[in-house]
Amino acid sequence: MNKVLLAEYLLALGDDELLLGHRVSEWCGHAPILEEDIAFANIALDEIGHARLWYQLVAELRGEDPERYPDQLAFFRTANEFRALPLLQLPNGDWAFSLLRQYLFDAFEAQRLEGLARSEYAALAEAAAKIRTEELYHLRHSRAWIPRLGLGTEESHRRLQDALDALWPYAQGLGVPLDSEDELVEAGLVPATGELFTAWRAEVGKFLEEADLKLPDADPGHGDRRQHTEHLAELLDDMQEVARFDAEAQW
């Protein structure tokens, strides 16, 4: 097993979860109804907890302390060291934008976690199975909002279509394989991103069209996780501020 490549793969997954968790947490106190305020707060906690699980696996693969190393990865790396999808770096926008982004990512992650739960690396398979249980709830939640907005009022439909037009190009980054993924796929450690994306595209496209949404054209190279948006550094400045104030503090 190539521990270096697998650690890099899992680091990217952890970065995705951490940034999405932070973005979702920004809705606390601002969601349109109290029920959603509570739901999004719980989802944010889940996402950040999942990031920690992936970071702990990275720590074990790198021979680091699995209790302290996740904090180092989350709070003491620069923007250039992160490998999160640009899709998840974008500011929240309105409610339709955030719900649609959550759905697009949740739908892809559900398929990836199903594949990871069959990994030949037992620790990875166990973590994926645990995360998948919670992520299926996230998917049910975000999925329920799409027809509600798409088939709702004229304004809700317009806002959701505007969100799709903006997000769809970035969502294509979900289909870009991580560096040196082929070796991990051949070893039975991870599923092939390209195959997951094809299945995701068919499922999501059909569902969105049923919600009276029109899929826009998309640049297949847009949204590659090796590219950083202008928003990432600002997000990290906010997220890392307290930890960087006293790097030696014990929490």
Side-chain angles (χ1 to χ4, degrees), residues 71-183:
D71 284 350
Q72 291 296 316
L73 294 175
F75 300 122
F76 298 100
R77 283 185 296 152
T78 65
N80 287 336
E81 295 174 290
F82 272 75
R83 293 295 177 266
L85 289 162
L87 172 71
L88 308 176
Q89 300 171 24
L90 301 174
N92 282 333
D94 63 12
W95 185 244
F97 187 97
S98 288
L99 258 297
L100 181 60
R101 172 170 58 187
Q102 189 78 35
Y103 167 68
L104 295 173
F105 183 76
D106 289 345
F108 185 82
E109 192 173 29
Q111 298 201 29
R112 179 166 55 197
L113 288 169
E114 184 177 353
L116 291 174
R118 297 192 295 270
S119 173
E120 293 293 331
Y121 181 37
L124 172 53
E126 291 171 6
K130 174 180 174 59
I131 292 172
R132 184 169 181 264
T133 300
E134 294 176 345
E135 288 294 349
L136 288 176
Y137 160 73
H138 298 176
L139 178 58
R140 286 195 296 269
H141 174 266
S142 59
R143 197 176 192 275
W145 271 94
I146 302 306
R148 183 175 176 180
L149 296 175
L151 303 174
T153 66
E154 181 178 344
E155 181 179 359
S156 71
H157 177 271
R158 176 185 59 77
R159 286 176 177 267
L160 193 60
Q161 183 65 59
D162 287 347
L164 181 58
D165 293 343
L167 286 168
W168 193 246
Y170 287 95
Q172 306 313 298
L174 292 165
V176 178
L178 283 86
D179 292 340
S180 303
E181 180 185 286
D182 289 347
E183 183 176 333

Side-chain angles (χ1 to χ4, degrees), residues 22-48:
H22 181 81
R23 284 304 190 202
V24 173
S25 76
E26 293 176 335
W27 275 104
C28 291
H30 301 284
I33 55 176
L34 178 60
E35 181 181 5
E36 288 304 318
D37 208 85
I38 296 170
F40 251 40
N42 287 325
I43 289 172
L45 289 173
D46 284 347
E47 304 290 14
I48 294 170

Side-chain angles (χ1 to χ4, degrees), residues 1-4 6 61 120-121 183-184 187 189:
M1 181 175 72
N2 191 321
K3 292 184 177 182
V4 174
L6 185 56
L61 290 166
E120 293 293 331
Y121 181 37
E183 183 176 333
L184 300 176
L189 298 173

